[in-house]
Amino acid sequence: MDSKYIKEDYYIEFPEKQNKIVSELFFWVQQFCLGILVICVAFSIFAKPVIVNGDSMNPTLHSKDTILITANTFSLKRGDIVVVTQPWERDESIVKRVIGLPGDTININFETGEVFINGKLIKEDYILEPTRLYYDAKMPITIPDGYLFVMGDNRNGSLDSRSGKIGLIRKQYVFGKAFFRVRPDTGSLIYKENGNG
């Protein structure tokens, strides 16, 4: 007895309107996924979020603030807020403000709390109080090529370049500079301007 095979084809036809809706939905899902991918790539290349730990940058930054940093450290200038990964005894990154660049001579009058760069008094409207804590710093100090002098804005509550524990910062250890901060209490995004430009 001969066997017979029956092949049946099933077709589903969508109305034209339904085809258009599915096509439109697919387009927007595709655009959304592409947008997420672009944002992730941009953040991994151009900006990274960092959480501030401690009060050494008060009143500008507070503990638990999130700052966005850019890896562009080629154009560092006085007043920039930077994240530094230079090794030291606590083995953790620090967030400080750039005060002195290579070739600058820094002098601090710890009695008056005033900071001088190349003999000129600098305006520091971002600090919590005058600079009176000196650690083991010997002033004046001239910054050699490839190094930075950094301090926290909370001058009397910051371990920074005034201490031999931190010292001058080698530029290669500047992980990035801050350009935005997110305040956890408000959730708002606030632009942080440089102090000394």
Side-chain angles (χ1 to χ4, degrees):
M1 186 173 171
D2 293 339
S3 297
K4 292 187 179 177
Y5 296 95
I6 299 172
K7 180 181 177 187
E8 294 183 2
D9 292 327
Y10 293 92
Y11 298 97
I12 298 174
E13 292 187 11
F14 292 101
E16 189 176 325
K17 187 176 181 182
Q18 194 171 356
N19 274 342
K20 190 173 181 183
I21 291 171
V22 170
S23 174
E24 190 78 20
L25 182 63
F26 179 75
F27 171 79
W28 286 112
V29 168
Q30 188 180 34
Q31 293 303 309
F32 177 76
C33 292
L34 183 62
I36 294 294
L37 180 64
V38 168
I39 288 170
C40 290
V41 169
F43 266 87
S44 66
I45 295 174
F46 302 111
K48 297 183 185 310
V50 173
I51 297 174
V52 177
N53 183 19
D55 300 317
S56 71
M57 282 300 292
N58 284 351
T60 308
L61 300 174
H62 301 278
S63 195
K64 306 304 179 202
D65 279 358
T66 299
I67 55 175
L68 298 182
I69 62 168
T70 174
N72 175 18
T73 58
F74 300 107
S75 58
L76 287 177
K77 54 188 179 294
R78 292 184 210 103
D80 282 344
I81 293 174
V82 293
V83 174
V84 177
T85 59
Q86 183 165 292
W88 66 297
E89 63 182 38
R90 289 190 196 162
D91 195 28
E92 60 186 23
S93 300
I94 59 174
V95 179
K96 303 295 175 189
R97 188 182 295 273
V98 175
I99 303 299
L101 300 169
D104 285 343
T105 296
I106 308 295
N107 198 8
I108 302 173
N109 183 330
F110 294 104
E111 289 182 10
T112 63
E114 296 173 321
V115 179
F116 298 83
I117 299 177
N118 303 322
K120 294 181 180 176
L121 176 66
I122 62 171
K123 182 183 176 188
E124 298 186 289
D125 52 4
Y126 45 77
I127 62 174
L128 185 62
E129 53 193 6
T131 309
R132 300 197 188 276
L133 184 63
Y134 60 87
Y135 293 110
D136 54 357
K138 290 184 174 126
M139 296 291 163
I141 182 171
T142 300
I143 315 304
D145 194 36
Y147 287 82
L148 302 168
F149 186 92
V150 300
M151 287 195 284
D153 290 355
N154 181 4
R155 292 295 165 75
N156 301 315
S158 171
L159 189 64
D160 47 44
S161 290
R162 292 168 290 171
S163 168
K165 290 183 178 182
I166 303 289
L168 297 177
I169 303 301
R170 285 172 280 183
K171 287 179 86 172
Q172 70 197 61
Y173 287 112
V174 176
F175 182 65
K177 67 178 177 178
F179 65 96
F180 274 92
R181 71 175 176 188
V182 180
R183 296 298 299 272
D185 53 346
T186 62
S188 60
L189 205 57
I190 305 170
Y191 180 69
K192 173 69 197 126
E193 293 191 21
N194 295 325
N196 285 319

